[in-house]
């Protein structure tokens, strides 16, 4: 079975550019999570969806960040405009109700 | 708000020996889930073991077991017969329900000495 699929695996771009990270959850899973991992702050939740509806976006840093889940099999995390401090590894995870989360391989984002 | 604390930034153990990683947490919830995730250099996040707070029996998965002390809010991971492939960052995590958001500790980097 395919796991959580994230793309791209690496992204390098200049500050000010728009960045879009993509995630395909495991088929049938009804919850999707976006996490960010940095040396300074560790792993922190940005936003999570249940049945495609955003439930908690309190971790989204600021208006430059937005996330969508147009259907059960796809989600995007967008940063516009990007800044060097956004450099991090971004993980997507999915789960069934009351089941552990399964993580994708992450996207390493570098903003120059 | 929940907090998870891992007080050991780094640990090392001889191959084939046993090591215990510590984790404490704080919550006002009575029912919740605790997890240990492993992150090897490949950066994948791999679920190692989970514990439901309402279960008194400690969870076990092959060489991995936990010591869950609910009153003390402690959740340690014991790795028996350590193998080179166990070298990784280990994160302790909390969620109010298994399918809800995770709150992570800062991690413990485990080195296996051949």
């Amino acid at each position: 079975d395919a796991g959580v699929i994230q793309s791209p695996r690496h992204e390098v771009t200049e500050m000010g550019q728009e960045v879009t990270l993509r995630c395909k959850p495991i088929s049938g899973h009804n919850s999707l999570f976006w996490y960010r991992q940095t040396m300074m702050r560790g792993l922190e939740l940005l936003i999570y969806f249940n049945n495609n509806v955003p439930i908690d976006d309190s971790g989204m840093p600021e208006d430059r960040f937005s996330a969508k889940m147009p259907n059960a099999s796809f989600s995007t995390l967008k940063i516009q405009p990007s800044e060097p401090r956004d450099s991090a590894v971004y993980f997507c995870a999915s789960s069934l109700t009351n089941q552990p989360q399964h993580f994708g391989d992450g996207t390493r984002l570098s903003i120059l | 708000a929940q907090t998870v604390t891992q007080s050991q930034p780094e640990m090392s153990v001889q191959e084939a020996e046993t090591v215990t990683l510590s984790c404490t947490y704080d919550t006002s919830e009575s029912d919740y889930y605790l997890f240990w995730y492993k992150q090897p250099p490949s950066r994948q996040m791999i679920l190692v073991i989970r514990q439901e707070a309402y279960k008194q029996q400690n969870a076990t998965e092959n060489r991995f077991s936990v010591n869950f002390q609910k009153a003390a809010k402690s959740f340690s991971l014991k790795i028996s017969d350590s193998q080179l492939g166990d070298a990784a960052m280990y994160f302790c995590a909390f969620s109010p329900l298994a399918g809800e958001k995770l709150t992570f500790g800062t991690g413990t980097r485990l080195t296996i000495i051949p």
Side-chain angles (χ1 to χ4, degrees), chain A residues 5-17:
Chain A
I5 300 172
Q6 290 187 248
S7 63
R9 184 156 173 81
H10 305 277
E11 175 88 10
V12 180
T13 192
E14 294 187 346
M15 66 177 293
Q17 297 297 307

Side-chain angles (χ1 to χ4, degrees), chain A residues 9-10 31 33 35 37 43 45 48 56 89 91 95-96 98-101 103 105-108, chain B residues 33 35 37 39 42-47 50 91 95 97-106:
Chain A
R9 184 156 173 81
H10 305 277
S31 294
F33 306 80
Y35 293 91
Q37 185 177 31
L43 276 154
L45 178 77
Y48 83 94
D56 183 350
V89 177
F91 285 101
S95 70
L96 283 167
N98 292 333
Q99 294 298 315
Q101 295 175 29
F103 283 75
D105 289 343
T107 295
R108 180 176 295 280
Chain B
Y33 290 77
F35 305 87
Y37 278 87
Q39 187 177 40
S42 64
R43 151 180 121 209
Q44 291 174 294
M45 291 291 289
I46 302 165
L47 177 65
R50 73 167 175 171
F91 292 94
S95 76
L97 288 173
E100 291 196 1
K101 63 179 181 180
L102 292 166
T103 299
F104 286 92
T106 51

Side-chain angles (χ1 to χ4, degrees), chain B residues 6 21 36-38 77 79 86 88-92 107-108 110:
Chain B
Q6 294 179 251
L21 309 184
W36 281 97
Y37 278 87
K38 168 185 176 181
L77 175 70
I79 307 174
D86 295 333
M89 284 288 288
Y90 285 81
F91 292 94
C92 179
T108 297
L110 179 64

Side-chain angles (χ1 to χ4, degrees), chain A residues 27-101:
Chain A
S27 178
H29 281 193
N30 59 348
S31 294
L32 183 140
F33 306 80
W34 284 100
Y35 293 91
R36 179 172 67 176
Q37 185 177 31
T38 62
M39 289 295 293
M40 292 297 293
R41 300 175 65 91
L43 276 154
E44 53 184 350
L45 178 77
L46 298 177
I47 185 171
Y48 83 94
F49 297 83
N50 185 257
N51 293 324
N52 311 339
V53 176
I55 302 300
D56 183 350
D57 65 354
S58 59
M60 295 286 266
E62 49 198 271
D63 293 345
R64 296 184 299 107
F65 285 68
S66 63
K68 294 182 179 179
M69 192 165 186
N71 56 62
S73 59
F74 185 66
S75 177
T76 59
L77 178 66
K78 187 173 293 187
I79 309 173
Q80 167 62 23
S82 58
E83 296 182 3
R85 60 191 168 120
D86 301 330
S87 297
V89 177
Y90 291 80
F91 285 101
C92 177
S94 71
S95 70
L96 283 167
T97 302
N98 292 333
Q99 294 298 315
Q101 295 175 29

